[in-house]
Amino acid sequence: MAIGGTMSGDDSAGAADSAARLTLEQKASLTSGSDFWHTQPVEEADVPAIMMADGPTGLRKQAGEPGLSLGMGKSVPATCFPTATSLGSSWDPDLVERVAAAIAREARAEGVSVILAPGVNIKRSPLCGRNFEYLSEDPYLSGELGLAFVRGLQAEGVGASVKHFAANNAETDRMRVSADVDERTLHEIYLAAFERVVTAGDPWTVMASYNKVNGTYATENAWLLREVLRDTWGFDGVVVSDWGAVHDRVAALRGGTDLAMPPFGDDEVVVEAVRGGTLEEGVLDEAVRRVLALVDRAGEAAEANTHTLDPHALAREAAVAGSVLLKNEPVGGAPLLPLSESAEVVVVGELARTPRFQGSGSSRVNPTRVDVPLDALRETWGDDVPFAAGYTLDGSPEEDRALRAEAVEAARGGRTVVCLLGLPESYESEGYDRNHLDLPPAQVELVQELVAVNPRVVVVLANGGIVTPVAWSREVPALLETWLAGQAVGSAIAEVLSGRAEPTGRLAETIPFRLEDTPAFLDFPGHLGHSRYGEGVFVGYRYYDVKRIPPAYPFGHGLGYTTFSQGDLSVEVTGSGDEVRASVSVTVTNTGGRTGTDVVQVYVSDLDSPVARPERELKGFAKVTLEPGASERVELELGPRAFAYWHPVLRRWVVEPGTFTVSVGASAADLRRSVTVTVEGTEIRTPLTPQSTVAEWEADPVGGPLLASAFGARGAELKANPMAAEVPLDVLVGLAGFPRENIDALVEAAGGADTSDDDAQDDGAQDDGA
């Protein structure tokens, strides 16, 4: 069996044979863990236990017993890589794959078989306290980078657990809340990244989330886990619960969860359910087969490769690549950054001395070392670089005032002020959400006073979720967002500020001026156990575009130390319907004076659609590095999904025929070239029912003539009445005396179906989480 590949027939058959030799009690035991991190061994059948561990930013293998029974105790030392916010901002699948491979090598060395990562949940609201663990607000970008992470892990013989499936977008009441979201929005936004990772990456496991989806717990949701994940996407790996997400072992097995973690309840409950006929033994056997196949995969995985690559150097490379230069305005006739190594510098900010470089909660890593920013900056600009704390991380207003006055005094004169600001750890974490997007007041007051006495201020941000700069950034000439940059944070900042490396990151999420401008403002995090996804498919930049709300910094934005032009765009469309393809080609030229990297972003717009669609959607991207004056022809391929939408009536993806605009640019708000193309889509014919309106019948190529024939002379009168267009056909039974049997005959002749029991069908779908 190839590592990372789908289970072969032999593997599946072998696991099935092993399952057949187990007793009912042994099979039941395999569907729950043996302890906090291990699967259940069955010594009599030579089935070993395998270990799982957290690891989206580096291995977190528990050392000893879990602290407070929550698995939050001390972990073994491991490389702490930048968080997913930073990796997402890299727009670099190759880099993400290399980071994941490095994590996998450390996991293998510690005997860990499955890493609980990546997290590909969409950043629905910037208030989510766990956003530092997620890649983007955009499902396409999340899917491509999540796929790269899975490939990196599994190429090294460690399984991935793609999480948190699904619609897990808030920490408030996360273990009970119901994400109430329509099916089209689910498929286009919240399931799309999972679909990409599952269908192209064959992850060993998928983690079912804590929350409910439309009223049903994700771990018990047969629509989500069986109909979508298994039947539609073809997933044959293990569905593992998030830790503590199973409430009913039997219901979870019926719903499609194979493995409850950590141990939950008595295995006898499962045994009695099988014997009592409330759980089919075949359902249990399938779960056991998958768990046994996972154990076999872990046992067959190749030994960890021996690499000379320094993981700390890779962490620094990733931190640089994820840094986003938001602003770099001229001071004295030239952009403030990069700073020459002969520049006179003063460093301000407690975060320079006490760096925050990772998130809190289950992803917390015990780093092998930490590059402190103040030390790295002094290594570059001299040991005598002055430092002023400027603020405390958890002190009193009196302390902050004294430190601020000291920092402002140090900033006077001709030195360049490097000011490190960011969110204290208490502001964001797994387990709770934020209630605002602001920096601490003491930091805002500090930077405002700094720019009042010195125009040469560089602000370097350290935060997992976005912060709004509106209250303090107007007079700041240079603004560098480094996110939570991992254990190499200090050396990465020095590399970027000095120009030894270029900040090549681009925003993977929109930064708004105000919290009130965000798409989910009215519905996040939810009320009385329900979170209504009222914004639908208009998440992130999709919302700002359609509402004409200018953001502070748009999705995809990021500056470098040179400039680029994009021109000579061509788009060639071939095929039709589900086979349509588009080849996009654009010439990129480095128009600046130094080598740099551009991120070419491709957006697609549907100019005419029967459903409300975003004005543009990211459907391709590529990074290109060029020397000054050099040009390169960048080519990207778009598949049918780039033009498709989820049809809410047909309940499938459709590519409608018509005109589309394909644009390339430097961000969602900076589209530099566009081409309009015609796509031969699939002719869409929505089934006609008694509830279809007169207008819908008349527009249908089959139903229109049938309706005209059925009404005869009265048809012209009906057609001339503007009120009739929106009347469902079955309402005409009462309004126009049209016989019900005639309507039934029309529906049958038109190839439709009687949906008089739609309400009952809808209720059933809701119960299954659809």
Side-chain angles (χ1 to χ4, degrees), residues 23 49-50 58 127 218 224 230 365 383 553 629 650 734:
T23 67
I50 63 170
L127 291 177
L224 184 68
R230 296 207 184 278
V365 176
D383 293 339
Y553 296 102
L650 299 180

Side-chain angles (χ1 to χ4, degrees), residues 555-571:
F555 174 84
H557 170 74
L559 305 174
Y561 292 151
T562 187
T563 55
F564 291 89
S565 68
Q566 299 174 359
D568 191 21
L569 172 65
S570 67
V571 181

Side-chain angles (χ1 to χ4, degrees), residues 392 395-404:
T392 63
S396 67
E398 292 77 12
E399 290 179 283
D400 286 329
R401 278 194 293 270
L403 292 173
R404 183 162 64 249

Side-chain angles (χ1 to χ4, degrees), residues 469-595:
V470 64
W472 51 267
S473 71
R474 187 183 304 272
E475 304 303 325
V476 174
L479 178 56
L480 178 67
E481 175 62 87
T482 66
W483 312 110
L484 299 180
Q487 68 179 49
V489 53
S491 54
I493 289 173
E495 291 276 300
V496 171
L497 295 183
S498 67
R500 295 193 297 266
E502 181 191 27
T504 60
R506 303 294 186 266
L507 288 177
E509 55 189 304
T510 307
I511 299 179
F513 281 113
R514 309 182 311 152
L515 173 61
E516 291 83 354
D517 292 339
T518 57
F521 175 71
L522 293 177
D523 294 314
F524 185 91
H527 311 280
L528 300 177
H530 290 267
S531 183
R532 185 179 71 94
Y533 285 48
E535 68 280 3
V537 299
F538 298 99
V539 175
Y541 66 91
R542 292 161 167 81
Y543 178 83
Y544 296 92
D545 287 344
V546 75
K547 293 288 287 185
R548 301 291 189 269
I549 299 174
Y553 296 102
F555 174 84
H557 170 74
L559 305 174
Y561 292 151
T562 187
T563 55
F564 291 89
S565 68
Q566 299 174 359
D568 191 21
L569 172 65
S570 67
V571 181
E572 181 181 356
V573 177
T574 58
S576 62
D578 293 341
E579 303 299 322
V580 69
R581 297 287 187 278
S583 298
V584 180
S585 180
V586 64
T587 299
V588 180
T589 303
N590 184 341
T591 56
R594 58 180 286 165
T595 299

Side-chain angles (χ1 to χ4, degrees), residues 593-648:
R594 58 180 286 165
T595 299
T597 300
D598 192 26
V599 179
V600 179
Q601 302 168 37
V602 179
Y603 294 86
V604 176
S605 306
D606 187 355
L607 301 182
D608 184 21
S609 177
V611 297
R613 299 190 69 174
E615 291 198 354
R616 61 188 60 87
E617 296 180 277
L618 180 74
K619 296 299 180 183
F621 62 91
K623 294 189 83 166
V624 54
T625 301
L626 297 172
E627 295 181 353
S631 297
E632 183 175 322
R633 193 73 176 164
V634 177
E635 297 183 352
L636 301 99
E637 295 294 320
L638 307 184
R641 193 60 66 84
F643 303 96
Y645 68 90
W646 179 266
H647 198 292

Side-chain angles (χ1 to χ4, degrees), residues 273-284:
V274 172
R275 287 178 175 157
T278 58
L279 176 66
E280 295 181 18
E281 189 165 3
V283 170
L284 176 62

